[in-house]
Amino acid sequence: MSSDALGESGTVAGAAEESLKQYMASHRPAVEAALAEACADQPGMPTRLAEAIRYAVLAPGKRLRPVLTIMAAEACGGSVASAMPAAVSVELIHAYSLIHDDLPAMDDDDLRRGRPTTHIEFDEATAILAGDALQSMAFAHLHCHAVDDTQAAAWIGTLAIAAGPSGLVGGQADDLDAEKHTVDDFGGPEAARTHLEAIHHRKTGALFTACAAMGAISAGADQRAVSALTNYARAFGLAFQITDDLLDCTSTDEQLGKRTGKDDGRGKLTYPGLMGLDRARAHAEAMIRTAHESLELFGTAGQRLRNLADFVLERTN
Amino acid sequence: MSSDALGESGTVAGAAEESLKQYMASHRPAVEAALAEACADQPGMPTRLAEAIRYAVLAPGKRLRPVLTIMAAEACGGSVASAMPAAVSVELIHAYSLIHDDLPAMDDDDLRRGRPTTHIEFDEATAILAGDALQSMAFAHLHCHAVDDTQAAAWIGTLAIAAGPSGLVGGQADDLDAEKHTVDDFGGPEAARTHLEAIHHRKTGALFTACAAMGAISAGADQRAVSALTNYARAFGLAFQITDDLLDCTSTDEQLGKRTGKDDGRGKLTYPGLMGLDRARAHAEAMIRTAHESLELFGTAGQRLRNLADFVLERTN
């Protein structure tokens, strides 16, 4: 390890974090360029709709899902370029889900990534349609950029199921529904936590799992590798969600670029609310250990994915 | 021709209409069963979301898009069964687009097919999510039911582009935007009609065109047949939209099962509004002639598609 790779703390953990940041920074231009190209004007695409699509997709963001997709491909011996269509398509689905989640009839958020949400910046109809268009665009993008029909079908099948009523959309529906219930309605804190976990495995977990599987498909990986990466992403996704809940409790609007403290205000089920801050954090740590264990198969090729899992946890320190 | 095939009028045209009605009635059970199966509960699918999806998809309807898909397949020598996955998926996309079009932020309709719209019967969040889920389900359905990856990719590519920002969604965005403008803003009635035509070629035409192309793909048809059917569907779609405008002017709520006279009330661009009733009807007739001419290649195998085109026009008599 060169001394250049050492982070500010000068520790091994600091070096891993620094290396991850460099990795993410080095891949960002290619991801951003591919996203911009995917959202470029097409004949027949209304100007205002195109602007809303680009406003939502090209907003500043960590690009965690594209990075996870690319890392999964690389862990299986695939190239960044081979994974880029999958990386773009998951980010388009993610952007659509954020636009729709923020709508007045849903989470009613006016701030996202430090900027007005799409329905505030444009209008509600345009926001609904931009989300609808992005979902189609994700599938069209995979179809157009796959190396062959077999890859297109595998990618599209994985993403369509993850985005559907048993995945992303189902999780969001149950999440909204849970706001109408008390912890006692679910049968107490433990049962409520089980329900919350089932929500997150779909609302955020399904798309993370799709990233990992689609990255592996990019590399032509075998089923064993796909399963291992799926297990990793499932644990990773849950840890991500728990830390999101923790950040909502402990950060300010300015730090996160979105409204904080809302979860508690609307009686949402959250890990800190059900388990307390310390136990919630310990649960996230346990998930990260599970994520690490899932990567055994990959040896050193899985190191970046390990660093990414650690990074999720570090957000709350 | 047997005398049983003669319609009430006892004319050849009446016989064709009667034969078409029998055809549609005979295929309806298989289409309805396939739609019900596509919307059946899946593990992880929230109950209320599933109910909203079935409420929207299994509502009484003509199933014009599935019928067009099946007829296109049959014109190319394909079977009903081979076209059913495509027929189902276009109807899922159509159902999603109706749910979202009816939302308060869009067309704000409370009645559809004689029943409360999905956001009235359930709630706005559930309606948005049901639409979102249906779009994913359409692509997942094609992936799961294609005979091979080549067919899956061709079907999905066709549908994803038709449903996207240059198709269905783009047409709806421009249609909403047109409400904010006067005919003079577009440069007078002729220019406004050109704009209106561009809206309809995307808002309704793109999905009809996808039906025809996907039906042809079901049958493994060559590019010449796909092109001919695409031309047919493009003209058919426009005639359908013009007659829809005519019906909005001349029918009651009870006859159509939805709010009528709304187009005029909100200053929407319509064919009767721009051309008058008689010229609008003549334009629809011209489109039906174009649809007929597009079918020359198919000889008698195209007869059902000809009858279907005539049926669209007959709605306004």
Side-chain angles (χ1 to χ4, degrees):
Chain A
M1 185 190 300
S2 82
S3 60
D4 289 352
L6 288 175
E8 281 176 32
S9 65
T11 64
V12 173
E17 190 181 331
E18 193 57 30
S19 155
L20 178 70
K21 282 183 180 166
Q22 282 178 8
Y23 178 89
M24 290 174 84
S26 72
H27 286 79
R28 180 179 295 273
V31 170
E32 298 295 330
L35 286 170
E37 199 188 323
C39 299
D41 285 330
Q42 302 167 20
M45 190 175 179
T47 306
R48 191 173 163 81
L49 180 68
E51 284 169 358
I53 285 169
R54 287 193 283 267
Y55 179 81
V57 173
L58 304 178
K62 292 183 293 293
R63 307 300 181 207
L64 195 54
R65 288 158 192 81
V67 165
L68 173 56
T69 309
I70 291 167
M71 283 185 178
E74 289 188 317
C76 299
S79 68
V80 176
S82 72
M84 196 58 83
V88 165
S89 70
V90 292
E91 192 68 3
L92 298 182
I93 292 288
H94 177 56
Y96 123 63
S97 77
L98 295 184
I99 298 174
H100 282 194
D101 284 1
D102 287 337
L103 287 168
M106 308 269 270
D107 293 346
D108 194 16
D109 270 311
D110 55 3
L111 196 62
R112 161 82 62 189
R113 293 174 178 170
R115 307 188 313 164
T117 47
T118 308
H119 66 276
I120 298 288
E121 182 71 13
F122 293 83
D123 56 77
E124 215 178 313
T126 303
I128 294 169
L129 291 170
D132 290 345
L134 279 166
Q135 184 169 186
S136 311
M137 287 164 66
F139 295 110
H141 190 82
L142 291 173
H143 172 260
C144 290
H145 291 82
V147 290
D148 55 28
D149 291 340
T150 303
Q151 186 180 63
W155 270 345
I156 290 166
T158 304
L159 188 59
I161 289 164
S166 297
L168 178 66
V169 173
Q172 171 68 357
D174 272 347
D175 196 27
L176 286 171
D177 182 66
E179 284 179 28
K180 298 174 196 145
H181 298 282
T182 65
V183 171
D184 287 342
D185 289 341
F186 295 105
E190 271 308 300
R193 206 198 77 189
T194 303
H195 187 73
L196 181 61
E197 207 137 300
I199 289 173
H200 290 315
H201 276 315
R202 288 168 294 153
K203 185 176 175 179
T204 51
L207 201 52
F208 280 128
T209 310
C211 290
M214 292 171 76
I217 290 164
S218 309
D222 62 18
Q223 194 48 51
R224 199 162 147 247
V226 173
S227 291
L229 286 168
T230 301
N231 290 340
Y232 164 86
R234 192 174 157 86
F236 173 90
L238 200 54
F240 180 82
Q241 193 57 52
I242 299 168
T243 58
D244 232 36
D245 283 0
L246 288 166
L247 287 168
D248 187 78
C249 290
T250 58
S251 305
T252 64
D253 290 8
E254 290 67 32
Q255 283 171 316
L256 286 193
K258 64 181 181 182
R259 299 275 175 240
T260 55
K262 281 192 70 170
D263 294 351
D264 207 37
R266 68 209 299 177
K268 258 181 120 77
L269 291 182
T270 67
Y271 287 92
L274 292 170
M275 307 172 78
L277 284 173
D278 290 344
R279 276 188 63 214
R281 194 174 151 73
H283 192 44
E285 285 167 355
M287 285 300 108
I288 293 302
R289 282 195 297 278
T290 302
H292 275 251
E293 286 159 17
S294 308
L295 295 173
E296 210 168 307
L297 174 67
F298 300 96
T300 55
Q303 192 51 45
R304 284 200 181 110
L305 287 166
R306 287 184 199 98
N307 294 351
L308 187 69
D310 293 338
F311 167 72
V312 161
L313 206 59
E314 290 306 316
R315 300 192 302 162
T316 61
N317 282 341
Chain B
M1 186 189 300
S2 82
S3 60
D4 288 352
L6 288 175
E8 281 177 33
S9 65
T11 63
V12 173
E17 190 180 331
E18 194 57 31
S19 155
L20 178 70
K21 281 182 181 166
Q22 283 177 8
Y23 178 89
M24 290 173 85
S26 72
H27 286 80
R28 180 180 296 273
V31 171
E32 297 296 330
L35 286 170
E37 200 188 322
C39 300
D41 285 330
Q42 302 166 19
M45 191 173 178
T47 306
R48 190 174 164 80
L49 180 68
E51 284 168 1
I53 286 169
R54 287 192 284 266
Y55 179 83
V57 173
L58 304 178
K62 291 182 294 292
R63 308 298 181 208
L64 194 54
R65 288 158 192 79
V67 165
L68 174 56
T69 309
I70 291 168
M71 284 186 178
E74 289 188 317
C76 299
S79 68
V80 175
S82 72
M84 197 57 83
V88 165
S89 69
V90 293
E91 193 69 1
L92 298 182
I93 292 286
H94 177 56
Y96 122 64
S97 78
L98 295 184
I99 299 173
H100 282 194
D101 283 2
D102 288 338
L103 287 168
M106 309 268 270
D107 292 347
D108 194 16
D109 271 311
D110 55 3
L111 197 61
R112 160 82 60 188
R113 294 174 177 170
R115 307 189 313 164
T117 46
T118 308
H119 66 275
I120 298 288
E121 182 70 14
F122 293 83
D123 57 77
E124 214 178 313
T126 303
I128 294 169
L129 291 170
D132 290 344
L134 280 165
Q135 184 168 185
S136 310
M137 287 164 66
F139 295 109
H141 191 81
L142 290 173
H143 172 259
C144 290
H145 292 81
V147 291
D148 56 27
D149 291 339
T150 303
Q151 187 179 64
W155 271 345
I156 290 166
T158 303
L159 189 59
I161 289 165
S166 297
L168 179 65
V169 174
Q172 171 67 357
D174 272 347
D175 196 26
L176 285 171
D177 182 65
E179 285 181 26
K180 298 175 196 145
H181 298 282
T182 66
V183 170
D184 288 341
D185 289 341
F186 295 105
E190 271 309 300
R193 207 198 75 190
T194 303
H195 187 73
L196 181 61
E197 207 137 299
I199 288 172
H200 289 316
H201 276 315
R202 288 168 294 154
K203 185 176 174 178
T204 51
L207 201 52
F208 281 127
T209 311
C211 290
M214 292 171 75
I217 290 165
S218 310
D222 62 19
Q223 193 49 51
R224 199 162 146 246
V226 174
S227 291
L229 286 167
T230 301
N231 289 339
Y232 163 87
R234 191 175 158 85
F236 172 91
L238 200 55
F240 180 84
Q241 193 56 53
I242 299 169
T243 58
D244 232 37
D245 284 359
L246 287 166
L247 287 167
D248 187 79
C249 290
T250 59
S251 306
T252 64
D253 289 7
E254 290 67 32
Q255 283 171 316
L256 286 193
K258 63 181 180 183
R259 299 275 176 240
T260 55
K262 281 194 67 172
D263 294 352
D264 206 38
R266 66 208 303 176
K268 259 180 119 77
L269 291 182
T270 68
Y271 287 92
L274 292 170
M275 307 172 79
L277 284 173
D278 290 344
R279 277 187 63 213
R281 195 175 149 73
H283 192 44
E285 285 167 356
M287 285 301 107
I288 293 302
R289 281 196 298 278
T290 302
H292 275 252
E293 287 159 15
S294 309
L295 296 173
E296 210 167 308
L297 174 68
F298 299 97
T300 54
Q303 192 51 44
R304 284 199 182 112
L305 287 166
R306 288 184 199 97
N307 294 351
L308 187 69
D310 293 338
F311 168 71
V312 161
L313 206 59
E314 291 306 315
R315 299 191 303 161
T316 60
N317 282 340

